Amino acid sequence: RNGLHFSSRWMILDDVVMGGASSSRVAQSQHGAQFIGDVTTRFNGGFCSARCVFPSPQDWSMHDGLTLRVLCNEGLRYKLILRDTVGRGGVAWCHSFDTAPNEWTEIKAPFSSFLPTLRGKTVPDHPAFDSTRVTAVQFMMSKFEYDGALNPTFKEGPFQLQIAQVRALQA
């Protein structure tokens, strides 16, 4: 296959789960989908995310990663997150990507570039990402990168990421 099939069911996971006040949603757009919201650090918040959980684990081992085509008016840094475990918690595999202001940007995210993280902290010596059992894909806008480092382009307020394409990066 040339691409990957994604469900239209997205779960919102914003900082309100820990007392924050940010909000986001995923909506259809003329280009595909848009991840939009309002992120704030009030009440120790600072992140918005949308996750699509697959009904059963997907085998993506015939691919090397994902390619995205995205647009952000302000040129912000986002995270693309994959999961290879079922259920809540567990390691999140993160790939940060930068967008160019007001330009469609193609992002190449090879599986080898995803960092194993648990609640924003990298997990050293974790076994490799298991591309034979991908359980979820997620987009995140966050104040933080990894291990307490700040996202250099983070801004409080409204954000909008247009997602025109998510495709397999061919092996």
Side-chain angles (χ1 to χ4, degrees):
R1 270 183 7 207
N2 238 359
L4 302 170
H5 181 305
F6 287 92
S7 167
S8 60
R9 295 182 338 212
W10 290 89
M11 253 183 354
I12 299 303
L13 298 159
D14 296 334
D15 59 24
V16 295
V17 299
M18 49 172 265
S22 300
S23 64
S24 67
R25 64 188 173 96
V26 174
Q28 277 192 301
S29 75
Q30 66 182 12
H31 302 291
Q34 56 184 343
F35 172 42
I36 53 181
D38 192 357
V39 66
T40 178
T41 58
R42 285 185 317 154
F43 311 119
N44 294 316
F47 72 88
C48 290
S49 71
R51 181 186 302 172
C52 179
V53 178
F54 301 117
S56 61
Q58 305 294 299
D59 183 353
W60 291 358
S61 61
M62 69 291 271
H63 307 294
D64 285 339
L66 296 176
T67 300
L68 312 175
R69 187 166 182 265
V70 297
L71 171 70
C72 174
N73 293 343
E74 299 187 52
L76 301 174
R77 178 173 291 175
Y78 291 85
K79 291 179 188 175
L80 172 63
I81 302 171
L82 299 177
R83 294 188 179 268
D84 60 1
T85 56
V86 175
R88 297 176 126 178
V91 167
W93 292 87
C94 297
H95 176 88
S96 293
F97 63 92
D98 294 316
T99 60
N102 297 308
E103 288 182 27
W104 284 100
T105 306
E106 184 175 304
I107 309 296
K108 291 187 187 307
F111 294 139
S112 60
S113 70
F114 283 75
L115 297 173
T117 66
L118 190 59
R119 295 180 185 88
K121 295 183 184 343
T122 55
V123 182
D125 304 318
H126 193 276
F129 175 68
D130 186 355
S131 62
T132 66
R133 47 177 292 110
V134 180
T135 60
V137 64
Q138 182 172 348
F139 288 93
M140 177 179 273
M141 161 52 66
S142 178
K143 172 184 174 178
F144 293 102
E145 275 291 292
Y146 311 104
D147 301 319
L150 296 176
N151 174 345
T153 65
F154 178 79
K155 286 176 33 176
E156 285 195 64
F159 67 89
Q160 180 174 344
L161 180 69
Q162 296 283 336
I163 305 162
Q165 191 173 67
V166 179
R167 295 179 56 96
L169 184 59
Q170 298 301 317

